[in-house]
């Protein structure tokens, strides 16, 4: 179950990696702008995604309890919730660029980041709807559509990125009107990603319709206020937890922007690679969430604990491999994103720090997943506040600015926060799974 879910997670992150790799050839300013734009976009939309993901344990537990009608009904409540949250989150997304100038971001970087972010707003709704339909399919072990969506969307994103960022003037004559497409730079990258998000959603819509639940269960699409409130109640702490986690990375990105263009670009390079390897742990966490949720729905205490512990072990093992890769091959990996010598040189020390926090990052991702399956989302939020903001941020600021270690010091602060969160979530699951967990 984890492999296709990890591939689907990687597919989403691969779009950002490709965006960075294509735009990174334009220069450090453009790469830094994509980094800031993506940081702000994901900081806000990840909180929205978390709110919508409140349907995850509800669907999985319904499947575990042998109630497919209930699972389908919850899916539709997730659809209505996704539309409502999309509208709400678009407002702060549109206003977010206003903070870039006052916090000291270079005016050229801020201008490019604003263009990128405003275009990306159009992709919020398909992004959240994809999350809902993915939850419904994965709870039933239907994973092939996620792989298909990942492949189709990423091929489209790569081709559109190359065309829209650089323009079609260098294409061969047989491509016809494509040669007239102008070079849109960073804006073209944003348009490409939004278009690919709609393509990805379309693949899952076809898969969900193919399950035929709407025709089997009468009145399944009607709004059920109680279910939406329950999903939001479970999902809101999850959204805040994810926002606290990605927020600290976004804040470190903004602090890196104050150090200079090379530091900002290096931060974006390293965080893009680390985020890509992190998707493997996210996939294992998603599989753990499904297995834990289904075991809870079935009233299987031993199965609940076993599913969670297997997920923890798998996450740690997988991230050990990526840690070794970052430690042994930093320069070749950095060159995947940028060909700028100063950016690569600045990023290599960050890759070493990333190697250290890979296992902690994986364990905390799995921990959040298995606790989500148990609908225990508030604790994960508190753990992230404590680890990242009460411990990680002060350490980052002290090392980065107090001891003048710069961007490397900021990253050691991230490492400290991730380690604390990982330990807290693992201990929480051990205590929670020592008794029978009631379904949400």
């Amino acid at each position: 179950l984890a492999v296709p879910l990890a591939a689907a997670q990687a597919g989403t992150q691969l779009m950002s990696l490709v965006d960075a790799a294509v735009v990174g050839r334009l220069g450090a300013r453009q790469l830094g702008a994509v980094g800031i734009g993506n940081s702000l976009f994901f900081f806000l939309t990840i909180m929205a995604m978390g709110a919508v993901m409140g349907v995850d344990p509800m669907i999985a537990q319904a499947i575990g309890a042998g109630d497919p009608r209930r699972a389908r009904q919850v899916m539709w409540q997730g659809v209505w919730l996704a539309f409502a949250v999309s509208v709400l989150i678009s407002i702060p997304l549109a206003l977010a660029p206003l903070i870039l100038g006052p916090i000291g971001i270079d005016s050229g970087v801020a201008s490019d980041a604003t263009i990128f972010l405003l275009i990306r707003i159009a992709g919020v709704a398909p992004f959240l709807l994809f999350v809902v339909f993915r939850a419904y399919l994965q709870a039933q072990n239907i994973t092939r559509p996620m792989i298909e969506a990942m492949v189709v969307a990423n091929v489209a994103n790569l081709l559109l990125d190359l065309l829209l960022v650089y323009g079609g003037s260098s294409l061969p004559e047989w491509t016809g009107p494509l040669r007239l497409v102008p070079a849109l730079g960073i804006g073209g990258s944003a348009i490409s990603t939004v278009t690919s998000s709609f393509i990805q959603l379309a693949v899952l819509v076809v898969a969900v319709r193919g399950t035929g639940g709407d025709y089997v269960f009468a009145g399944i699409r009607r709004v059920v206020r109680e279910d939406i409130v329950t999903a939001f109640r479970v999902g809101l702490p999850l959204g805040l937890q994810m926002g606290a986690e990605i927020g600290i990375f976004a804040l470190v990105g903004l602090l890196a922007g104050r150090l200079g263009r090379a530091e900002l670009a290096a931060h974006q390079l390293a965080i893009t690679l680390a985020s890509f390897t992190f998707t493997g742990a996210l996939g294992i966490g998603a599989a753990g969430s499904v297995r834990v949720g289904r075991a809870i729905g079935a009233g299987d205490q031993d199965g609940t604990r076993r599913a969670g512990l297997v997920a923890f072990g798998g996450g740690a093992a997988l991230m050990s491999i990526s840690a070794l890769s970052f430690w042994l091959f930093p320069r070749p990996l950095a060159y995947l994103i940028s060909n700028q010598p100063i950016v690569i040189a600045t990023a290599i020390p960050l890759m070493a720090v990333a190697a250290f926090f890979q296992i902690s990052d994986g364990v905390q991702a799995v921990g959040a997943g298995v606790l989500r399956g148990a609908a225990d989302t508030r604790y994960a939020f508190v753990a992230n506040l404590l680890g990242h903001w009460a411990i990680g941020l002060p350490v980052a600021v002290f090392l980065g600015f107090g001891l003048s270690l710069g961007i490397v010091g900021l990253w050691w602060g991230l490492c400290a926060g991730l380690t604390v969160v990982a330990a807290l979530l693992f201990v929480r699951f051990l205590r929670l799974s020592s008794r029978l967990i009631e379904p949400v």
Side-chain angles (χ1 to χ4, degrees):
L1 179 61
V3 171
L5 295 183
Q9 295 281 1
T12 301
Q13 188 58 39
L14 186 58
M15 289 190 197
S16 296
L17 190 148
V18 169
D19 290 344
V22 173
V23 173
R25 266 59 185 176
L26 296 177
R29 188 196 79 199
Q30 290 85 348
L31 179 58
V34 167
I36 286 181
N38 270 326
S39 293
L40 291 173
F41 178 82
F42 282 111
F43 171 59
L44 292 168
T45 55
I46 284 295
M47 288 195 292
M49 184 180 81
V52 171
M53 286 174 68
V55 300
D56 279 31
M58 297 171 68
I59 293 173
Q61 292 176 14
I63 294 294
D67 191 350
R69 186 187 190 283
R70 171 68 177 159
R72 188 78 171 197
Q73 183 180 48
V74 172
M75 181 201 77
W76 275 107
Q77 307 319 303
V79 169
W80 309 136
L81 180 60
F83 278 123
V85 172
S86 297
V87 174
L88 292 176
I89 208 67
S90 295
I91 298 171
L93 277 171
L95 298 175
L98 298 178
I99 71 171
L100 298 180
I103 64 174
I105 300 299
D106 177 274
S107 59
V109 173
S111 177
D112 283 347
T114 298
I115 294 171
F116 183 84
L117 185 60
L118 292 179
I119 295 173
R120 287 295 304 273
I121 292 175
V124 174
F127 176 70
L128 297 182
L129 290 170
F130 178 86
V131 170
V132 173
F133 293 136
R134 183 183 65 193
Y136 179 72
L137 293 171
Q138 71 188 24
Q140 302 175 78
N141 289 348
I142 302 174
T143 55
R144 181 174 178 176
M146 275 80 92
I147 299 293
E148 294 171 344
M150 181 270 291
V151 172
V152 173
N154 274 281
V155 170
N157 186 54
L158 173 60
L159 297 177
L160 288 172
D161 253 339
L162 294 172
L163 175 64
L164 298 177
V165 171
Y166 300 125
S169 59
S170 61
L171 293 175
E173 291 187 11
W174 60 265
T175 57
L178 293 180
R179 301 183 68 202
L180 302 177
V181 175
L184 300 177
I186 196 169
S189 177
I191 293 171
S192 171
T193 304
V194 169
T195 303
S196 300
S197 296
F198 277 99
I199 294 172
Q200 192 171 239
L201 172 63
V203 175
L204 287 204
V205 168
V206 172
V208 170
R209 286 177 62 87
T211 61
D214 291 351
Y215 308 105
V216 176
F217 308 122
I220 203 72
R221 299 185 183 184
R222 70 180 182 85
V223 174
V224 180
R225 181 179 176 276
E226 294 80 5
D227 284 345
I228 293 178
V229 170
T230 299
F232 188 75
R233 176 176 55 81
V234 172
L236 182 59
L238 177 60
L240 294 174
Q241 170 246 309
M242 298 170 77
E245 180 183 351
I246 200 168
I248 195 68
F249 284 88
L251 179 57
V252 168
L254 295 175
L255 293 174
R258 295 179 63 89
L259 297 173
R261 290 185 179 182
E263 287 82 0
L264 175 59
H267 168 81
Q268 173 58 21
L269 185 155
I271 204 66
T272 298
L273 291 171
S275 298
F276 183 71
T277 60
F278 176 64
T279 58
L282 281 179
I284 294 174
S289 175
V290 171
R291 300 301 298 170
V292 166
R294 290 181 62 157
I296 290 172
D300 183 358
Q301 180 181 349
D302 291 339
T304 299
R305 190 174 181 88
R306 181 169 57 250
L309 292 178
V310 168
F312 275 115
L318 179 66
M319 297 302 276
S320 297
I321 297 173
S322 62
L324 284 173
S325 301
F326 279 32
W327 181 260
L328 297 174
F329 311 110
R331 187 173 295 275
L333 289 173
Y335 194 76
L336 292 173
I337 306 299
S338 176
N339 59 359
Q340 309 289 315
I342 187 173
V343 174
I344 293 176
T346 308
I348 286 177
L350 303 186
M351 303 283 283
V353 181
F356 275 89
F357 71 57
Q358 287 291 286
I359 296 176
S360 296
D361 207 10
V363 170
Q364 66 91 22
V366 171
V370 297
L371 291 178
R372 182 170 72 249
D376 183 31
T377 52
R378 293 182 183 179
Y379 183 87
F381 169 51
V382 174
N384 272 266
L385 282 182
L386 177 62
H388 290 306
W389 294 89
I391 297 176
L393 180 58
V395 171
V397 172
F398 175 71
L399 294 178
F401 297 101
L403 296 184
S404 301
L405 296 180
I407 185 66
V408 176
L410 295 178
W411 270 58
W412 278 117
L414 292 177
C415 183
L418 286 167
T419 303
V420 171
V421 175
L424 290 173
L425 296 185
F426 181 66
V427 171
R428 173 65 171 180
F429 178 76
L430 290 180
R431 296 183 62 183
L432 196 65
S433 61
S434 63
R435 56 179 172 79
L436 187 65
I437 303 172
E438 292 294 325
V440 63

